[in-house]
Amino acid sequence: MFKSIFILLNFLILFYPSEINAEKILRIGVVSVPQDLGNPYGTITMPTILASLGVFDSLTSLDKNGNVKPWVAEKWEYLDKFTWHFKIKPNIKFSNGKKLNAFAIAESINYFASGEGLVEVVAQLVNDVESARAINNNLLEIKTKKPNILLPRRISGIRIPEPSQWKKLGRKEFSRKPIGSGSFVSIKWSSSKIILIANKSSWRPPKVDRLEIIAIPEITSRLQALITGAIDIAIDISADDKTLIEKSNAHLNFRPSGRVQLLTFLSTARSPVSKIMVRQALNYAVNKERIIELLLGNSTKPSGQAAVKASFGYNPKIKPLL
């Protein structure tokens, strides 16, 4: 079988001298922005998650290789088959000055445990959580309905809103005026454009003063916007445009999408494809490396399994048939 990891996100970066504008502004062109605006629980996929990652934080995070790393929680412990303890970093605040502590996080987790949060896209990540309890400001306890060794990984998708603002405004209005503890504060969040400004008091200081995320659905329009300088980064650009991009003094970067694409054959009992040696021969007959070089701009590589690095069950010892 032919298997290869394809690319979901292609970043194009075009930098201009800072002297042009004293304020550091980063403009990103994306296919679309979240339909439910600034709801922290509304999306788990790139690139629609970009703005939420700037505004909100989560207990844990995933690095580029799919490994779980500390974030708001500096460490965690598996006490028994149903109980986890997360130690929360001190002195983290939401952009309105309220503290992000174990009590605030417990409210966010219990929104799902109570059943009220089942309407949210990310509810699937914590569907086995029984309850969350703040033992003190810096220690959170989470109980699960069944053993779940993947909880630290899954909970990385649960971003934490400021609880008093969430209660006051309600789900719909909060999405228009989101409050989190991240590097940026929202000043505009519409269906076509998001404008975020630096949260100078954030525990993770921003590197730019202003971040603009602009919906540009057409790939040709995003490419043109990049070339003309209307945006600084374009997401989801075809590898076919690599030559044009590089002629425009831009650079094409690739980020693995975390999926494997394969070609399958349907067969009957008498079909030659039912024999493993035939399937292996077909696999060897496909020049996967050449296809990747000519059609995909060397943006991916062959795979020997359906799992990817970021997924549970990935085995680095399994090599592709080349």
Side-chain angles (χ1 to χ4, degrees), residues 5 9 20 24 33 60 78 84 116 147-148 159 170 173 298 316:
I5 301 176
L9 298 181
I20 294 177
K24 294 180 181 179
V33 296
T60 61
Y78 196 24
W84 288 83
E116 186 182 357
N148 183 2
R159 289 167 294 282
E173 285 304 312
N298 286 318

Side-chain angles (χ1 to χ4, degrees), residues 234-276:
I235 293 182
D236 197 6
I237 298 295
S238 172
D240 295 340
D241 296 314
K242 182 178 180 180
T243 301
L244 178 60
I245 290 162
E246 292 177 345
K247 285 183 179 179
S248 304
N249 296 319
H251 180 67
L252 182 64
N253 288 329
F254 303 101
R255 174 175 175 169
S257 68
R259 67 185 174 119
V260 173
Q261 184 165 320
L262 57 145
L263 180 64
T264 60
F265 292 90
L266 297 177
S267 63
T268 63
R270 296 182 179 181
S271 170
V273 182
S274 65
K275 298 178 180 180
I276 188 171

Side-chain angles (χ1 to χ4, degrees), residues 112 171 282 295:
F112 297 96
R171 180 175 179 270
L282 288 170
L295 301 182

Side-chain angles (χ1 to χ4, degrees), residues 6 29 43 51 53 61 67 75 125 141 162 171 177 192 207-208 224 246 273 282 293-294 300:
F6 274 42
T43 182
L53 293 176
S61 185
N67 300 313
K75 62 181 181 179
L125 299 176
E141 179 181 274
E162 199 282 290
R171 180 175 179 270
K177 302 175 182 179
S192 60
K207 296 183 179 180
V208 296
Q224 187 64 26
E246 292 177 345
V273 182
L282 288 170
E293 178 187 358
L294 295 179
T300 186

Side-chain angles (χ1 to χ4, degrees), residues 110-136:
N110 284 326
Y111 171 61
F112 297 96
S114 68
E116 186 182 357
L118 293 180
V119 297
E120 309 293 355
V121 172
V122 300
Q124 59 184 300
L125 299 176
V126 287
N127 57 7
D128 64 344
V129 170
E130 181 72 37
S131 64
R133 177 175 70 96
I135 296 175
N136 55 48

